Amino acid sequence: MENIILASSSPRRQEILKSMGIPFQVVLPNVDESAFQVKNASELPEVLAKAKVQAVARSMPPKQVIPWILGADTVVVMGGKVFGKPRDHQEAFEFLSALQDKSHHVITSLALYNGRAHNMSVRSASTKVTFAPMSKEEIEWYIDTGDWHGAAGGYRIQGMASCFISKIEGTNSCVVGLPIFELYDMLKEQGYSIID
């Protein structure tokens, strides 16, 4: 299998690629996520996933052949508002206070650049996540675990936040940040086989 450039520093995305047996290298994209504005919050991850791929492609030496670049972005959306990565303890508390006892959507978009075909394909997945009611003490306890750092919405479903998630409608891998079915389908469509 050919090496894929992963335009992400996310350990979870790296773990998923490893579990699928896909060889990859990480190249961090130079993208200011706060500079992007969209009318519909659900469009933001697609815009950012494409921007990450484009930023990595631009960073490559001019004559280097770029076979594959994979970008991904995840956002938490509730009531038309995007809950990004909390800046600090206080914002993490505010996010979880808003999300508790309610349902929200986690949207992850993938952008896959095929350097041979000079083609970029994009897919998105959405999962509805419902939090149980949480007390102030429970929210503080979770925040004290530090699991909220660098996580959209201020939580990681694969961590202790799962104590408070009462229902998931969709795929777990979408919430983790790399929807496996969509990734596999995109790769297969582009002629990249992981079953050889």
Short mmCIF file of all heavy atoms in Angstrom, two decimals, residues 128-180:
data_model
loop_
_atom_site.label_atom_id
_atom_site.label_comp_id
_atom_site.label_asym_id
_atom_site.label_seq_id
_atom_site.Cartn_x
_atom_site.Cartn_y
_atom_site.Cartn_z
N LYS A 128 -25.52 11.70 16.12
CA LYS A 128 -26.26 12.41 17.16
C LYS A 128 -25.87 11.82 18.52
O LYS A 128 -25.95 10.61 18.73
CB LYS A 128 -27.76 12.26 16.93
CG LYS A 128 -28.62 13.07 17.87
CD LYS A 128 -30.09 12.88 17.50
CE LYS A 128 -31.01 13.65 18.43
NZ LYS A 128 -32.43 13.40 18.08
N VAL A 129 -25.42 12.69 19.42
CA VAL A 129 -24.96 12.27 20.74
C VAL A 129 -25.84 12.93 21.79
O VAL A 129 -26.09 14.13 21.73
CB VAL A 129 -23.48 12.67 20.96
CG1 VAL A 129 -23.02 12.28 22.37
CG2 VAL A 129 -22.58 12.04 19.91
N THR A 130 -26.30 12.13 22.74
CA THR A 130 -27.15 12.65 23.81
C THR A 130 -26.44 12.48 25.15
O THR A 130 -26.04 11.37 25.51
CB THR A 130 -28.51 11.93 23.85
OG1 THR A 130 -29.14 12.07 22.58
CG2 THR A 130 -29.41 12.51 24.94
N PHE A 131 -26.29 13.59 25.86
CA PHE A 131 -25.73 13.56 27.20
C PHE A 131 -26.86 13.41 28.22
O PHE A 131 -27.93 14.01 28.08
CB PHE A 131 -24.98 14.87 27.52
CG PHE A 131 -23.53 14.84 27.19
CD1 PHE A 131 -23.07 15.26 25.95
CD2 PHE A 131 -22.61 14.40 28.12
CE1 PHE A 131 -21.71 15.24 25.65
CE2 PHE A 131 -21.25 14.38 27.83
CZ PHE A 131 -20.81 14.80 26.59
N ALA A 132 -26.61 12.64 29.25
CA ALA A 132 -27.51 12.57 30.40
C ALA A 132 -27.38 13.87 31.19
O ALA A 132 -26.43 14.63 31.00
CB ALA A 132 -27.13 11.37 31.27
N PRO A 133 -28.32 14.12 32.10
CA PRO A 133 -28.13 15.28 32.99
C PRO A 133 -26.84 15.11 33.79
O PRO A 133 -26.50 14.00 34.23
CB PRO A 133 -29.36 15.21 33.91
CG PRO A 133 -30.38 14.42 33.14
CD PRO A 133 -29.60 13.43 32.34
N MET A 134 -26.11 16.21 33.96
CA MET A 134 -24.86 16.20 34.72
C MET A 134 -24.91 17.28 35.78
O MET A 134 -25.33 18.41 35.50
CB MET A 134 -23.66 16.45 33.79
CG MET A 134 -23.44 15.39 32.74
SD MET A 134 -22.19 15.91 31.51
CE MET A 134 -20.67 15.81 32.46
N SER A 135 -24.47 16.94 36.96
CA SER A 135 -24.39 17.95 38.02
C SER A 135 -23.13 18.79 37.81
O SER A 135 -22.22 18.42 37.07
CB SER A 135 -24.32 17.27 39.39
OG SER A 135 -23.09 16.57 39.52
N LYS A 136 -23.08 19.92 38.49
CA LYS A 136 -21.90 20.78 38.43
C LYS A 136 -20.67 20.00 38.89
O LYS A 136 -19.59 20.13 38.31
CB LYS A 136 -22.12 22.01 39.33
CG LYS A 136 -20.96 22.97 39.34
CD LYS A 136 -21.23 24.17 40.24
CE LYS A 136 -20.01 25.06 40.29
NZ LYS A 136 -20.21 26.21 41.20
N GLU A 137 -20.84 19.16 39.91
CA GLU A 137 -19.73 18.36 40.44
C GLU A 137 -19.23 17.35 39.41
O GLU A 137 -18.02 17.13 39.28
CB GLU A 137 -20.15 17.64 41.73
CG GLU A 137 -20.39 18.55 42.93
CD GLU A 137 -21.68 19.37 42.82
OE1 GLU A 137 -22.63 18.92 42.14
OE2 GLU A 137 -21.71 20.46 43.41
N GLU A 138 -20.17 16.74 38.69
CA GLU A 138 -19.78 15.78 37.66
C GLU A 138 -19.02 16.45 36.53
O GLU A 138 -18.03 15.92 36.02
CB GLU A 138 -21.01 15.06 37.12
CG GLU A 138 -21.59 14.05 38.08
CD GLU A 138 -22.91 13.48 37.62
OE1 GLU A 138 -23.74 14.24 37.06
OE2 GLU A 138 -23.13 12.27 37.82
N ILE A 139 -19.48 17.63 36.13
CA ILE A 139 -18.79 18.37 35.06
C ILE A 139 -17.38 18.74 35.52
O ILE A 139 -16.40 18.55 34.78
CB ILE A 139 -19.59 19.62 34.65
CG1 ILE A 139 -20.91 19.20 33.99
CG2 ILE A 139 -18.78 20.49 33.69
CD1 ILE A 139 -21.89 20.34 33.73
N GLU A 140 -17.26 19.24 36.75
CA GLU A 140 -15.94 19.60 37.29
C GLU A 140 -15.03 18.37 37.37
O GLU A 140 -13.85 18.45 37.04
CB GLU A 140 -16.08 20.24 38.68
CG GLU A 140 -16.62 21.65 38.67
CD GLU A 140 -15.62 22.69 38.18
OE1 GLU A 140 -14.48 22.33 37.79
OE2 GLU A 140 -15.99 23.88 38.17
N TRP A 141 -15.59 17.25 37.80
CA TRP A 141 -14.80 16.02 37.89
C TRP A 141 -14.26 15.63 36.52
O TRP A 141 -13.08 15.31 36.38
CB TRP A 141 -15.66 14.88 38.45
CG TRP A 141 -14.98 13.55 38.35
CD1 TRP A 141 -14.03 13.04 39.19
CD2 TRP A 141 -15.17 12.57 37.32
NE1 TRP A 141 -13.63 11.78 38.74
CE2 TRP A 141 -14.32 11.48 37.60
CE3 TRP A 141 -15.99 12.49 36.20
CZ2 TRP A 141 -14.25 10.34 36.80
CZ3 TRP A 141 -15.94 11.37 35.39
CH2 TRP A 141 -15.07 10.30 35.71
N TYR A 142 -15.14 15.69 35.51
CA TYR A 142 -14.69 15.34 34.16
C TYR A 142 -13.61 16.31 33.67
O TYR A 142 -12.59 15.89 33.12
CB TYR A 142 -15.86 15.30 33.16
CG TYR A 142 -15.36 15.01 31.77
CD1 TYR A 142 -14.86 13.75 31.44
CD2 TYR A 142 -15.28 16.01 30.81
CE1 TYR A 142 -14.33 13.49 30.19
CE2 TYR A 142 -14.77 15.76 29.55
CZ TYR A 142 -14.29 14.50 29.25
OH TYR A 142 -13.75 14.25 28.00
N ILE A 143 -13.82 17.58 33.88
CA ILE A 143 -12.84 18.58 33.43
C ILE A 143 -11.50 18.36 34.12
O ILE A 143 -10.44 18.50 33.51
CB ILE A 143 -13.38 20.01 33.64
CG1 ILE A 143 -14.54 20.25 32.67
CG2 ILE A 143 -12.29 21.05 33.43
CD1 ILE A 143 -15.31 21.51 32.92
N ASP A 144 -11.54 17.97 35.38
CA ASP A 144 -10.30 17.71 36.12
C ASP A 144 -9.50 16.53 35.56
O ASP A 144 -8.30 16.42 35.81
CB ASP A 144 -10.59 17.49 37.60
CG ASP A 144 -10.93 18.79 38.33
OD1 ASP A 144 -10.66 19.88 37.77
OD2 ASP A 144 -11.49 18.71 39.44
N THR A 145 -10.15 15.66 34.78
CA THR A 145 -9.41 14.54 34.15
C THR A 145 -8.48 15.07 33.05
O THR A 145 -7.55 14.37 32.65
CB THR A 145 -10.36 13.50 33.52
OG1 THR A 145 -11.03 14.07 32.38
CG2 THR A 145 -11.36 12.96 34.53
N GLY A 146 -8.77 16.28 32.54
CA GLY A 146 -7.95 16.85 31.46
C GLY A 146 -8.30 16.31 30.08
O GLY A 146 -7.70 16.69 29.08
N ASP A 147 -9.29 15.44 30.03
CA ASP A 147 -9.66 14.78 28.77
C ASP A 147 -10.25 15.75 27.74
O ASP A 147 -10.34 15.42 26.57
CB ASP A 147 -10.67 13.66 29.09
CG ASP A 147 -10.62 12.52 28.10
OD1 ASP A 147 -9.54 12.24 27.57
OD2 ASP A 147 -11.69 11.91 27.85
N TRP A 148 -10.65 16.93 28.18
CA TRP A 148 -11.28 17.90 27.29
C TRP A 148 -10.27 18.63 26.41
O TRP A 148 -10.64 19.21 25.39
CB TRP A 148 -12.07 18.93 28.12
CG TRP A 148 -11.22 19.66 29.10
CD1 TRP A 148 -10.93 19.29 30.38
CD2 TRP A 148 -10.51 20.89 28.88
NE1 TRP A 148 -10.09 20.21 30.97
CE2 TRP A 148 -9.82 21.21 30.08
CE3 TRP A 148 -10.39 21.76 27.80
CZ2 TRP A 148 -9.04 22.34 30.22
CZ3 TRP A 148 -9.61 22.90 27.93
CH2 TRP A 148 -8.94 23.18 29.13
N HIS A 149 -8.99 18.62 26.77
CA HIS A 149 -7.98 19.36 26.02
C HIS A 149 -7.94 18.92 24.56
O HIS A 149 -7.81 17.73 24.27
CB HIS A 149 -6.58 19.16 26.63
CG HIS A 149 -6.38 19.86 27.93
ND1 HIS A 149 -6.15 21.22 28.03
CD2 HIS A 149 -6.40 19.40 29.21
CE1 HIS A 149 -6.01 21.56 29.28
NE2 HIS A 149 -6.17 20.48 30.03
N GLY A 150 -8.07 19.88 23.65
CA GLY A 150 -7.96 19.60 22.22
C GLY A 150 -9.11 18.83 21.63
O GLY A 150 -8.99 18.30 20.52
N ALA A 151 -10.25 18.75 22.34
CA ALA A 151 -11.39 17.96 21.86
C ALA A 151 -12.56 18.87 21.50
O ALA A 151 -12.96 19.72 22.30
CB ALA A 151 -11.82 16.96 22.92
N ALA A 152 -13.11 18.69 20.31
CA ALA A 152 -14.29 19.45 19.90
C ALA A 152 -15.40 19.21 20.90
O ALA A 152 -15.66 18.08 21.32
CB ALA A 152 -14.73 19.03 18.50
N GLY A 153 -16.05 20.29 21.33
CA GLY A 153 -17.13 20.18 22.30
C GLY A 153 -16.66 20.02 23.72
O GLY A 153 -17.45 20.05 24.65
N GLY A 154 -15.36 19.82 23.91
CA GLY A 154 -14.82 19.69 25.26
C GLY A 154 -14.91 18.30 25.85
O GLY A 154 -14.82 18.12 27.06
N TYR A 155 -15.10 17.28 24.99
CA TYR A 155 -15.14 15.91 25.51
C TYR A 155 -14.61 14.92 24.48
O TYR A 155 -14.60 15.20 23.29
CB TYR A 155 -16.56 15.52 25.93
CG TYR A 155 -17.50 15.26 24.77
CD1 TYR A 155 -17.66 13.98 24.24
CD2 TYR A 155 -18.23 16.29 24.18
CE1 TYR A 155 -18.51 13.73 23.18
CE2 TYR A 155 -19.09 16.05 23.12
CZ TYR A 155 -19.23 14.77 22.62
OH TYR A 155 -20.06 14.53 21.56
N ARG A 156 -14.19 13.77 24.99
CA ARG A 156 -13.77 12.66 24.14
C ARG A 156 -14.66 11.47 24.45
O ARG A 156 -14.70 11.00 25.59
CB ARG A 156 -12.31 12.29 24.40
CG ARG A 156 -11.35 13.28 23.80
CD ARG A 156 -9.94 12.70 23.69
NE ARG A 156 -9.12 13.60 22.91
CZ ARG A 156 -8.55 14.70 23.40
NH1 ARG A 156 -8.68 15.01 24.67
NH2 ARG A 156 -7.83 15.48 22.62
N ILE A 157 -15.33 10.97 23.43
CA ILE A 157 -16.27 9.87 23.64
C ILE A 157 -15.58 8.59 24.09
O ILE A 157 -16.15 7.77 24.79
CB ILE A 157 -17.11 9.63 22.36
CG1 ILE A 157 -18.36 8.82 22.69
CG2 ILE A 157 -16.27 8.97 21.27
CD1 ILE A 157 -19.37 8.78 21.59
N GLN A 158 -14.31 8.43 23.71
CA GLN A 158 -13.58 7.21 24.08
C GLN A 158 -12.96 7.31 25.47
O GLN A 158 -12.35 6.38 25.95
CB GLN A 158 -12.52 6.87 23.02
CG GLN A 158 -11.35 7.81 22.98
CD GLN A 158 -11.58 9.05 22.12
OE1 GLN A 158 -12.70 9.49 21.94
NE2 GLN A 158 -10.51 9.61 21.59
N GLY A 159 -13.15 8.46 26.12
CA GLY A 159 -12.62 8.65 27.46
C GLY A 159 -13.72 8.58 28.51
O GLY A 159 -14.77 7.94 28.31
N MET A 160 -13.52 9.26 29.62
CA MET A 160 -14.47 9.20 30.73
C MET A 160 -15.79 9.91 30.44
O MET A 160 -16.77 9.72 31.16
CB MET A 160 -13.82 9.78 31.99
CG MET A 160 -12.67 8.96 32.52
SD MET A 160 -13.06 7.20 32.74
CE MET A 160 -14.24 7.30 34.08
N ALA A 161 -15.86 10.68 29.37
CA ALA A 161 -17.12 11.32 29.00
C ALA A 161 -18.19 10.28 28.70
O ALA A 161 -19.39 10.56 28.83
CB ALA A 161 -16.92 12.23 27.78
N SER A 162 -17.77 9.07 28.35
CA SER A 162 -18.75 8.01 28.04
C SER A 162 -19.61 7.67 29.26
O SER A 162 -20.70 7.11 29.11
CB SER A 162 -18.04 6.76 27.51
OG SER A 162 -17.11 6.27 28.46
N CYS A 163 -19.17 8.05 30.46
CA CYS A 163 -19.98 7.86 31.67
C CYS A 163 -21.30 8.64 31.58
O CYS A 163 -22.29 8.27 32.22
CB CYS A 163 -19.24 8.35 32.91
SG CYS A 163 -17.81 7.39 33.38
N PHE A 164 -21.30 9.72 30.79
CA PHE A 164 -22.44 10.63 30.77
C PHE A 164 -23.20 10.62 29.45
O PHE A 164 -24.14 11.38 29.27
CB PHE A 164 -21.95 12.06 31.07
CG PHE A 164 -21.12 12.13 32.32
CD1 PHE A 164 -19.75 12.33 32.26
CD2 PHE A 164 -21.71 11.96 33.56
CE1 PHE A 164 -18.98 12.39 33.41
CE2 PHE A 164 -20.94 12.01 34.72
CZ PHE A 164 -19.59 12.22 34.65
N ILE A 165 -22.78 9.78 28.51
CA ILE A 165 -23.44 9.73 27.21
C ILE A 165 -24.48 8.62 27.23
O ILE A 165 -24.15 7.44 27.34
CB ILE A 165 -22.41 9.55 26.08
CG1 ILE A 165 -21.54 10.80 26.00
CG2 ILE A 165 -23.11 9.28 24.75
CD1 ILE A 165 -20.35 10.69 25.09
N SER A 166 -25.75 9.04 27.13
CA SER A 166 -26.84 8.07 27.26
C SER A 166 -27.25 7.45 25.94
O SER A 166 -27.81 6.35 25.92
CB SER A 166 -28.06 8.74 27.92
OG SER A 166 -28.53 9.81 27.13
N LYS A 167 -26.93 8.11 24.82
CA LYS A 167 -27.38 7.59 23.53
C LYS A 167 -26.50 8.10 22.41
O LYS A 167 -26.10 9.27 22.42
CB LYS A 167 -28.83 8.01 23.29
CG LYS A 167 -29.50 7.33 22.12
CD LYS A 167 -30.97 7.73 22.09
CE LYS A 167 -31.72 7.02 20.98
NZ LYS A 167 -33.13 7.45 20.92
N ILE A 168 -26.21 7.22 21.44
CA ILE A 168 -25.47 7.58 20.23
C ILE A 168 -26.26 7.07 19.04
O ILE A 168 -26.60 5.89 18.98
CB ILE A 168 -24.06 6.97 20.21
CG1 ILE A 168 -23.23 7.43 21.40
CG2 ILE A 168 -23.33 7.30 18.91
CD1 ILE A 168 -21.92 6.68 21.55
N GLU A 169 -26.55 7.97 18.10
CA GLU A 169 -27.24 7.57 16.88
C GLU A 169 -26.30 7.88 15.72
O GLU A 169 -26.18 9.02 15.31
CB GLU A 169 -28.55 8.33 16.74
CG GLU A 169 -29.54 8.01 17.85
CD GLU A 169 -30.75 8.94 17.84
OE1 GLU A 169 -31.51 8.90 16.85
OE2 GLU A 169 -30.90 9.71 18.81
N GLY A 170 -25.62 6.85 15.22
CA GLY A 170 -24.61 7.00 14.18
C GLY A 170 -23.40 6.18 14.58
O GLY A 170 -23.51 5.24 15.35
N THR A 171 -22.23 6.55 14.05
CA THR A 171 -21.04 5.74 14.31
C THR A 171 -20.13 6.40 15.34
O THR A 171 -19.98 7.63 15.39
CB THR A 171 -20.22 5.50 13.03
OG1 THR A 171 -19.71 6.75 12.56
CG2 THR A 171 -21.07 4.85 11.94
N ASN A 172 -19.53 5.56 16.15
CA ASN A 172 -18.58 6.01 17.16
C ASN A 172 -17.35 6.64 16.50
O ASN A 172 -16.82 7.64 16.98
CB ASN A 172 -18.18 4.81 18.02
CG ASN A 172 -17.59 5.22 19.34
OD1 ASN A 172 -18.20 5.97 20.08
ND2 ASN A 172 -16.41 4.73 19.62
N SER A 173 -16.90 6.06 15.38
CA SER A 173 -15.68 6.56 14.72
C SER A 173 -15.85 7.98 14.20
O SER A 173 -14.89 8.74 14.12
CB SER A 173 -15.21 5.62 13.61
OG SER A 173 -16.18 5.52 12.57
N CYS A 174 -17.09 8.37 13.87
CA CYS A 174 -17.35 9.76 13.47
C CYS A 174 -17.06 10.70 14.63
O CYS A 174 -16.44 11.75 14.45
CB CYS A 174 -18.81 9.91 13.02
SG CYS A 174 -19.32 11.63 12.75
N VAL A 175 -17.49 10.31 15.83
CA VAL A 175 -17.29 11.16 17.01
C VAL A 175 -15.82 11.19 17.39
O VAL A 175 -15.31 12.23 17.82
CB VAL A 175 -18.17 10.67 18.19
CG1 VAL A 175 -18.05 11.63 19.37
CG2 VAL A 175 -19.63 10.55 17.77
N VAL A 176 -15.13 10.07 17.21
CA VAL A 176 -13.69 10.02 17.51
C VAL A 176 -12.91 10.92 16.56
O VAL A 176 -11.89 11.48 16.93
CB VAL A 176 -13.18 8.56 17.46
CG1 VAL A 176 -11.68 8.49 17.60
CG2 VAL A 176 -13.85 7.73 18.55
N GLY A 177 -13.40 11.10 15.32
CA GLY A 177 -12.76 12.04 14.41
C GLY A 177 -12.30 11.49 13.08
O GLY A 177 -11.70 12.20 12.28
N LEU A 178 -12.60 10.20 12.79
CA LEU A 178 -12.24 9.62 11.49
C LEU A 178 -13.25 8.52 11.17
O LEU A 178 -13.04 7.36 11.52
CB LEU A 178 -10.82 9.07 11.50
CG LEU A 178 -10.16 8.85 10.14
CD1 LEU A 178 -9.92 10.17 9.43
CD2 LEU A 178 -8.87 8.10 10.28
N PRO A 179 -14.37 8.88 10.52
CA PRO A 179 -15.39 7.89 10.23
C PRO A 179 -14.87 6.80 9.30
O PRO A 179 -14.49 7.06 8.17
CB PRO A 179 -16.53 8.69 9.59
CG PRO A 179 -15.96 10.02 9.25
CD PRO A 179 -14.74 10.23 10.06
N ILE A 180 -14.84 5.57 9.81
CA ILE A 180 -14.16 4.47 9.12
C ILE A 180 -14.87 4.07 7.83
O ILE A 180 -14.22 3.87 6.80
CB ILE A 180 -14.00 3.26 10.06
CG1 ILE A 180 -13.04 3.64 11.20
CG2 ILE A 180 -13.47 2.04 9.31
CD1 ILE A 180 -12.95 2.62 12.31
#
